[in-house]
């Protein structure tokens, strides 16, 4: 009771999520009289992130920085444009397609939305699309980042659930494609109601040049997948391979990469990774304490009273997570709920941890764009200088499609094959 | 006093910045080394363990830096609804909470490293273990071959740096309240 009260109080106060978890764990230890565990507290904090899979987090963040610095993002967008750009409403499809390509390199929705908003929104505005709609489609595209592998959320979940991150990546492929297909359908249907501007025709020579420049950047996702399939690299090491490729392409192909920017890139990647890693460390302590207090077992008993059907359980979880996701950001929310939900889902309802992981990650991704605490929504709105409320209204059809995908995944576990 | 604390915190943050850059570069280098050595069928078995330990250190160094810059994830619903002065008071409360955690972590690290008992046994690690059953000084890394406590040292250091940064933030907020300045974050 005291733990729950301190948890809510710290949350409302706006305490950093890591501090909130760490202090709640401490309150629980003191309240339950398990003070002997205090001597192990710092060790638990250290060991909570002593995991090989987590090395992917700083490395993928570095890849994102290097891609931006090397002008690679821009070229990927141009390539998508050369493929689809002249169709009616082509630039919106380009937006989703380039987001899919970037999602296959980056793993963070917020990072991707920040990058793509700078590139796509001015481009769409120039062709006559409304700003809020342009931001909304870019944000929708960014929602695929945590689902299409590699995914930072999957890495975090894989570490928390102690399952194979590579298999989790594979489980995310079909849901990611379903989401992209759903978004294409939304764009097509919206186009029937409000006709889209027609894109100017591209000069064949220019089109060929855009394709040529873009194809070389595909070396990055190809190197990620190729190095894993050829047994040269683990999914974690593939991020290092991607960083090297991003450097080589940015330095010697696009020529936009400046070596003097490297220290800043290292710093940004390190700082952003530290934010996530510290939360994971404190979540590990929180989870360790919860297990001592048999909290998952008590939650399991309470939920079992409501239903013994795994599908209804998952749908219930989805409703709760949607509410949590509206208040707490994706990865912090994941870190907070997995220690409680995973044992219940596995031991009581026999739900496959990979299936649960994909459902949880996709659900919490929606929280990134739903007010009042939709970090990605605010990032997109502030980058493009538009009101978050109007972006959300334009984004609503995409959010509904993504929610439909979550429901389908909850009901049909086979969609998350691995 | 306030200025001295803030200047010290800034200096430490600069040091943490350099250290973090070096750690991330080293981790990247180690991962590349792993891929290359495996491709050459000359796998280096110690690389993974070293990279993991350096990542843990980088996480706490970077986290301390982010606390110095007040850049951690938090829910700001209540803060956003408050007037400017109310926000500064709330910020002060949050910084005090972080300070409490930092001091507690320093205490927990003290319990874990137990330096007084170690000194009482004349720094005899076997005698220390027999007396306390605390294996901190006996654990050896699996592949690197050095004692794990060298890496564990990041925890008390993190506790100290976090204490300094949060003290500086508390002083900054108190100063803002006293001078009726807008809050710093």
């Amino acid at each position: 009771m005291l733990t729950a009260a301190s948890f809510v109080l710290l949350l409302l106060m706006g305490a950093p999520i890591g501090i909130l978890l760490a202090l709640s764990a401490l309150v629980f230890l003191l309240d339950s009289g398990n003070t002997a565990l205090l001597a192990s507290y710092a060790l638990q904090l250290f060991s909570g992130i002593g995991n090989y899979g987590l090395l992917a987090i700083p490395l993928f963040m570095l890849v994102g920085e290097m891609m931006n610095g090397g002008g690679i993002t821009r070229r990927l967008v141009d390539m998508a444009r050369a493929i689809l750009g002249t169709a009616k409403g082509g630039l919106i499809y380009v937006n989703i397609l380039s987001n899919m390509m970037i999602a296959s390199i980056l793993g963070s929705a917020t990072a991707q939305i920040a990058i793509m908003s700078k590139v796509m929104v001015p481009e769409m505005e120039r062709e006559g699309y409304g700003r809020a709609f342009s931001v909304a489609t870019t944000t929708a595209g960014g929602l695929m980042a945590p689902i299409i592998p590699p995914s930072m959320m999957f890495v975090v979940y894989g570490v928390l659930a102690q399952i194979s991150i590579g298999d989790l990546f594979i489980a995310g492929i079909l849901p990611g494609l379903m989401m992209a297909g759903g978004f294409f359908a939304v764009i097509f249907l919206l186009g029937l109601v409000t006709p889209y501007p027609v894109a100017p025709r591209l000069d064949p020579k220019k089109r060929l040049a855009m394709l040529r420049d873009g194809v070389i950047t595909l070396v990055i996702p190809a190197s990620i997948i190729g190095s894993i399939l050829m047994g040269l690299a683990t999914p974690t090491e593939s991020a290092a391979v991607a960083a090297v490729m991003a450097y080589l392409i940015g330095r010697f192909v696009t020529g936009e990469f400046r070596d003097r920017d490297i220290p800043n890139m290292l710093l940004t990647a390190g700082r952003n990774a530290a934010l996530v890693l510290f939360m994971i460390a404190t979540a590990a302590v929180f989870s360790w304490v919860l297990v001592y207090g048999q909290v998952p077992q008590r939650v399991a008993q309470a939920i079992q009273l409501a239903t013994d059907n795994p599908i209804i359980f998952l749908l219930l979880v989805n409703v709760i997570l949607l509410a949590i996701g509206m208040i707490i950001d994706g990865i912090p929310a994941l870190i907070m709920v997995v220690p409680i939900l995973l044992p219940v889902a596995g031991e009581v309802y026999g739900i496959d941890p990979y299936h649960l992981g994909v459902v949880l990650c996709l659900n919490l991704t929606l929280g990134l764009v739903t007010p009042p605490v939709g970090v990605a929504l605010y990032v997109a709105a502030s980058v493009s200088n538009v009101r978050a409320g109007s972006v959300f209204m334009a984004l609503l059809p995409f959010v509904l499609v993504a929610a439909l995908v979550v429901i389908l995944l909850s009901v049909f576990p086979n969609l998350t094959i691995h | 006093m306030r200025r001295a604390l803030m200047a010290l915190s800034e200096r430490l943050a600069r040091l943490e910045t350099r250290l973090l850059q070096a750690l991330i570069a080293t981790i990247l280098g180690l991962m590349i080394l792993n891929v290359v050595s495996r491709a050459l069928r000359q796998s280096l078995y110690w690389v993974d363990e070293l990279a993991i330990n350096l990542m843990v250190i980088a996480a706490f160094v970077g986290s301390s830096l982010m606390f110095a810059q007040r850049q951690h994830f938090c829910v700001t619903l209540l803060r956003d609804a408050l007037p400017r002065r109310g926000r500064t008071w709330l910020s002060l409360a949050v910084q005090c909470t972080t300070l409490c955690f930092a001091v507690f972590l320093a205490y927990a690290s003290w319990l874990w490293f137990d330096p007084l008992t170690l000194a009482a046994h004349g720094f005899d690690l076997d005698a220390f273990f027999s007396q306390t059953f605390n294996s901190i000084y006996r654990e050896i890394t699996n592949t690197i071959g050095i004692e794990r406590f060298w890496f564990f040292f990041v925890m008390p250091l993190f506790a100290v740096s976090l204490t300094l940064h949060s003290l500086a933030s508390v002083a900054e907020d108190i100063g803002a309240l006293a001078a009726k300045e807008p809050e710093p974050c």
Side-chain angles (χ1 to χ4, degrees), chain A residues 367-387:
Chain A
L368 290 173
V369 294
T370 46
V373 188
V375 174
L377 180 70
Y378 292 118
V379 166
S382 74
V383 167
S384 308
N385 198 20
V386 61
R387 278 183 50 243

Side-chain angles (χ1 to χ4, degrees), chain B residues 50-160:
Chain B
L50 182 59
I52 291 167
N53 280 294
L54 292 184
M55 176 195 62
V56 177
I57 293 173
F60 287 107
V61 169
S63 200
S64 174
L65 179 64
M66 294 305 263
F67 274 109
Q69 298 171 345
R70 305 184 185 219
Q71 294 278 320
H72 274 266
F73 283 117
C74 49
V75 175
T76 58
L77 280 178
L78 181 63
R79 203 191 80 157
D80 294 345
L82 288 174
R84 185 164 278 187
R85 201 165 168 77
R87 272 187 261 166
T88 314
W89 276 108
L90 198 61
S91 166
L92 179 62
V94 168
Q95 295 310 324
C96 288
T97 309
T98 306
L99 180 60
C100 286
F101 169 70
V103 171
F104 162 69
L105 189 59
Y107 170 69
S109 300
W110 181 269
L111 289 179
W112 185 26
F113 279 78
D114 202 357
L116 291 183
T117 311
L118 183 64
H121 286 87
F123 297 94
D124 180 338
L125 301 183
D126 290 332
F128 173 82
F129 178 71
S130 308
Q131 164 88 31
T132 61
F133 295 109
N134 179 349
S135 60
I136 181 170
Y137 300 108
R138 285 169 65 109
E139 286 183 34
I140 310 275
T141 49
N142 292 326
T143 56
I144 311 169
I146 60 168
E147 288 86 355
R148 287 190 75 197
F149 74 83
W150 292 112
F151 294 109
F152 291 155
F153 257 128
V154 73
M155 298 314 293
L157 291 176
F158 172 61
V160 171

Side-chain angles (χ1 to χ4, degrees), chain B residues 150-178:
Chain B
W150 292 112
F151 294 109
F152 291 155
F153 257 128
V154 73
M155 298 314 293
L157 291 176
F158 172 61
V160 171
S161 66
L162 189 57
T163 304
L164 178 65
H165 289 316
S166 39
L167 268 175
S169 299
V170 166
E172 194 180 8
D173 282 350
I174 290 173
L177 282 168

Side-chain angles (χ1 to χ4, degrees), chain A residues 83-390:
Chain A
I83 298 169
L84 289 170
T86 50
K88 196 175 177 186
L91 206 50
I92 319 175
Y93 295 104
V94 167
N95 197 345
I96 300 294
L97 185 64
S98 20
N99 263 300
M100 276 178 78
M101 291 193 278
I102 307 273
S104 68
I105 301 169
L106 293 180
S108 154
T110 311
Q112 181 165 325
I113 289 168
I115 293 168
M116 291 300 283
S117 294
K118 285 181 206 160
V119 179
M120 285 311 301
V121 174
E123 199 80 17
M124 285 181 72
E125 276 196 288
R126 255 197 301 280
E127 279 199 12
Y129 295 92
R131 184 176 293 185
F133 182 71
S134 308
V135 178
T137 46
T138 311
T139 309
L143 288 180
M144 292 182 289
I147 305 302
I148 294 181
S151 151
M152 208 93 77
M153 265 186 156
F154 282 171
V155 170
V156 173
Y157 176 83
V159 169
L160 292 171
Q162 296 182 356
I163 57 176
S164 157
I165 293 165
D167 286 349
L168 206 49
F169 282 178
I170 293 169
I173 293 175
L174 192 56
L177 293 176
M178 283 169 68
M179 222 159 129
F183 289 169
F184 279 129
V186 169
I187 294 165
F188 177 76
L189 293 174
L190 287 176
L192 296 178
V193 182
T194 320
Y196 295 128
V198 179
R201 289 196 68 80
L202 277 172
D203 172 65
K205 270 188 184 169
K206 193 177 175 192
R207 196 171 191 166
L208 203 64
M210 285 158 94
L211 275 173
R212 188 197 57 219
D213 287 350
V215 164
I216 189 77
T217 60
L218 291 181
V219 169
I220 299 174
S223 67
I224 293 176
I225 298 164
S227 60
I228 297 172
L229 291 180
M230 288 163 66
L232 284 175
T234 61
T236 303
E237 289 162 356
S238 71
V241 175
V244 173
M245 290 300 164
Y247 173 76
L248 293 175
I249 292 171
R251 186 80 172 78
F252 301 108
V253 179
T254 69
E256 290 180 31
F257 194 101
R258 292 174 304 185
D259 285 347
R260 66 170 182 269
D261 292 336
I262 292 177
N264 265 342
M265 291 174 181
L266 291 170
L267 180 61
T268 310
R271 281 165 31 138
N272 292 337
L275 275 179
V276 176
L277 290 171
F278 180 68
M279 284 191 299
I280 297 174
T282 54
V285 177
F286 188 63
S287 155
W288 168 63
V289 164
L290 288 183
V291 169
Y292 262 92
Q294 298 192 317
V295 173
Q297 289 87 332
R298 282 189 239 161
V299 173
Q301 282 168 359
I303 296 179
Q304 266 181 304
L305 291 177
T307 179
D308 54 3
N309 183 317
I311 293 174
I312 295 176
F313 165 76
L314 263 187
L315 293 175
L316 268 174
V317 164
N318 275 316
V319 174
I320 297 166
L321 286 186
L322 211 55
I324 292 175
M326 285 180 185
I327 305 167
I328 303 171
D329 204 10
I331 290 180
L334 189 70
I335 290 166
M336 285 159 72
V337 299
V338 167
I340 297 172
L341 281 181
L342 185 71
V344 179
E347 288 159 25
V348 179
Y349 294 97
I351 295 170
D352 178 38
Y354 294 92
H355 178 211
L356 181 75
V358 175
V359 171
L360 290 187
C361 291
L362 186 48
N363 184 310
L364 289 172
T365 301
L366 292 182
L368 290 173
V369 294
T370 46
V373 188
V375 174
L377 180 70
Y378 292 118
V379 166
S382 74
V383 167
S384 308
N385 198 20
V386 61
R387 278 183 50 243
S390 52

